[in-house]
Amino acid sequence: MTQAALHSPARDRVEAIGRAAGQSAGVGCGLALVLIDLPGLLDWRVGYGVLRVEHALDTLERQLAGLLREGDQLLRAGDGEFLVLLPALRHPAESQLAVRRLQRCLRDHAFPGLERGALEHRLAVIHCSAAELAGAQPDWLLQRAYDALAAAALPQAPEGASAARPAVTAALAESLRVSRELPGALDRGEFELWYQPKFALLDGACVGAEGLLRWLHPRGLRAPGSFIAAAERSGSIVALTRAALHMGLQQLAGWPGAPNTHLSLNFSAVCLQEPTFVPDVLDALAIWAVPPARLTIEITESLAMRDVDAGGRLLGALRDAGARVSLDDFGTGYCSLGYLRRLTADELKIDRSFVTGLTREQGDQRLVAGIIDLAHHFGMDVVAEGVEDDATLECLVALGCDIVQGYFTGRPMPPADFQAALAVQANRENVS
Ligand code: C2E
Ligand code: CA
Ligand code: CA
């Protein structure tokens, strides 16, 4: 038999309980055992990687140990299990307070890259009075703690047992995996900005493009739907947006024959909360010598509504510098007339969901007509996104929409393709 096989963590725990029981026999209120289990570890390991989880567990162990009295003991039990021994209690409140401190620490503990409070845990406490300790076997006490922990998993957990169990779903595990991959992918330059052209309905000219991120992942091209939410959750969106901003402005400077073509870029809420948001955008414009009027900042309507005053100030600062602001996905949030007045954007993008049913649904037609009217009333240009056929395009012309964007007039395309399309347009203009 090897040394490792001889060493049994369960035996260590039983021995430690035996010693604690010895200290507690005949003393006040006896001994309390707290057993803590972190059942979500497999998902964390998949999502964050083994070493980061190990590091997080070590940090958690130190924090938990820091909450204990002298003489208390914290033992790493099984994988993701902690056993806390609270011997020689003088008053029942002593163990209750200790448990509350441990629970608060578990609740507030921040796993790296994870929101506070997302750590799934179960906790069970058993008490053994000084009188009971006299006849109790240490392994029986440990068994009782495990029984209580198992009961904590039940919907009606008994007193002294609690479970905090935010669902760790396969989708979250996937999102964690993506979060972990993002910084490296950014360093390796795996992101590209693709461009979807926008056309003026007045004369059919391409007035610019919306830049949309694409991840050139070694296992295939990935659309933003598979990584933006994870990037927002982990904070990588700030670096990702900065990369998109610089890529877009650098490429825009080289677009042929079209000094007035615009670039629209998407900004998430997280980016707007960055204290350096406005100077970062202005610096990027200066670095690539792009006049601010050629950049449109797209923010979703619901994001703009979240904090109208703060958002309005930031966007106002960019508008003062000459950049344009667009309210994206309009109609899906809860914008009202009054808010529109305070938000003062330059452009409003009607969400695809209203554009899709335009030729079939009378209601959608009336709604889109109303939105166009409203936007024009506030001096905004109107962009319809998600135009997929000729009939919808004609309908938008009839309703007085200004600009269209959609698969019918052009899908998002790699930078070189968009540049080539602009060159064709510039040549046509030179000939006519
Ligand atoms: P969005 O800003 O609403 O962008 C328009 C999305 O609709 C794009 O999807 C585009 O490919 C798609 N689309 C355009 N025309 C049509 C059409 O005619 N039919 C259909 N079915 N779809 C159409 P994509 O590129 O997958 O981007 C999805 C979302 O990801 C964007 O929605 C935007 O919210 C986000 N996103 C993309 N790039 C960035 C970025 O650089 N930063 C941030 N924060 N978000 C981004
Ligand atoms: Ca957009
Ligand atoms: Ca949109």
Side-chain angles (χ1 to χ4, degrees):
M1 228 187 283
T2 65
Q3 192 62 32
L6 277 171
H7 176 81
S8 155
R11 194 164 306 145
D12 287 351
R13 273 172 276 156
V14 171
E15 282 171 10
I17 294 169
R19 283 193 299 276
Q23 290 166 24
S24 310
V27 183
C29 300
L31 167 74
L33 263 65
V34 184
L35 194 55
I36 298 165
D37 178 39
L38 308 175
L41 280 187
L42 176 62
D43 285 329
W44 306 126
R45 288 197 173 99
V46 172
Y48 288 119
V50 177
L51 289 180
R52 280 182 84 188
V53 172
E54 232 22 65
H55 176 71
L57 286 174
D58 290 345
T59 312
L60 178 62
E61 183 179 357
R62 275 197 302 278
Q63 287 181 358
L64 292 173
L67 301 171
L68 301 178
R69 303 170 305 175
E70 208 177 317
D72 292 347
Q73 206 180 346
L74 176 83
L75 299 157
R76 273 286 262 280
D79 188 25
E81 277 175 26
F82 296 96
L83 176 67
V84 184
L85 303 177
L86 306 170
L89 294 164
R90 287 179 304 273
H91 191 276
E94 250 178 344
S95 68
Q96 285 160 8
L97 285 171
V99 168
R100 205 166 307 154
R101 280 198 301 273
L102 294 170
Q103 278 174 321
R104 193 175 309 135
C105 175
L106 289 162
R107 204 182 51 226
D108 295 344
H109 185 68
F111 249 71
L114 194 80
E115 287 161 36
R116 269 175 203 283
L119 184 64
E120 181 186 3
H121 66 267
R122 280 187 240 158
L123 180 145
V125 196
I126 62 150
H127 287 98
C128 198
S129 69
E132 279 176 305
L133 278 173
Q137 291 297 321
D139 59 335
W140 176 75
L141 290 176
L142 186 60
Q143 188 63 52
R144 270 182 59 196
Y146 274 102
D147 292 348
L149 193 62
L154 301 173
Q156 291 295 320
E159 209 180 328
S162 64
R165 200 175 308 111
V168 179
T169 61
L172 178 56
E174 172 59 21
S175 160
L176 296 173
R177 195 178 300 128
V178 171
S179 305
R180 196 158 48 89
E181 273 189 72
L182 282 172
L186 251 168
D187 287 346
R188 291 189 297 275
E190 286 178 5
F191 290 91
E192 245 185 25
L193 200 58
W194 285 26
Y195 298 101
Q196 183 173 35
K198 292 162 81 175
F199 292 92
L201 286 177
L202 191 66
D203 57 6
C206 173
V207 291
E210 175 174 8
L212 295 159
L213 278 168
R214 294 292 180 268
W215 185 353
L216 310 182
H217 195 279
R219 284 196 294 279
L221 186 71
R222 293 194 178 170
S226 69
F227 60 85
I228 291 289
E232 287 175 338
R233 197 172 300 131
S234 65
S236 293
I237 191 69
V238 175
L240 209 53
T241 305
R242 191 170 292 129
L245 178 66
H246 281 267
M247 273 191 282
L249 293 177
Q250 181 184 20
Q251 285 159 6
L252 170 75
W255 284 352
N260 295 318
T261 38
H262 282 85
L263 169 68
S264 299
L265 289 176
N266 296 285
F267 284 77
S268 306
V270 189
C271 300
L272 260 71
Q273 281 153 13
E274 281 289 290
T276 56
F277 165 65
V278 174
D280 280 355
V281 172
L282 297 180
D283 282 354
L285 284 162
I287 288 169
W288 299 108
V290 173
R294 292 186 72 189
L295 177 68
T296 300
I297 311 282
E298 289 195 9
I299 53 154
T300 57
E301 175 203 2
S302 43
L303 161 57
M305 302 307 307
R306 218 182 278 172
D307 187 345
V308 182
D309 294 326
R313 263 196 308 280
L314 286 175
L315 299 171
L318 286 173
R319 290 185 81 219
D320 289 346
R324 300 174 79 250
V325 170
S326 173
L327 286 181
D328 202 359
D329 301 343
F330 191 85
T332 56
Y334 38 82
C335 225
S336 75
L337 271 167
Y339 283 125
L340 268 186
R341 185 163 42 81
R342 285 161 65 196
L343 274 170
T344 56
D346 303 274
E347 180 186 277
L348 183 154
K349 291 185 92 169
I350 305 176
D351 189 65
R352 195 173 78 216
S353 55
F354 302 107
V355 176
T356 307
L358 208 51
T359 52
R360 291 185 307 274
E361 305 280 337
Q362 275 275 312
D364 280 1
Q365 239 179 68
R366 276 199 295 272
L367 195 70
V368 169
I371 295 174
I372 292 173
D373 201 40
L374 183 74
H376 284 164
H377 180 78
F378 285 103
M380 290 188 258
D381 289 334
V382 183
V383 181
E385 53 181 4
V387 179
E388 293 189 350
D389 52 53
D390 192 27
T392 306
L393 186 90
E394 288 308 322
C395 188
L396 287 162
V397 172
L399 291 175
C401 179
D402 305 295
I403 294 163
V404 286
Q405 180 184 342
Y407 290 174
F408 182 67
T409 46
R411 285 183 178 251
M413 56 187 100
D417 293 7
F418 182 64
Q419 198 157 331
L422 278 182
V424 171
Q425 171 168 298
N427 281 339
R428 247 196 330 256
E429 279 167 7
N430 286 341
V431 169
S432 59

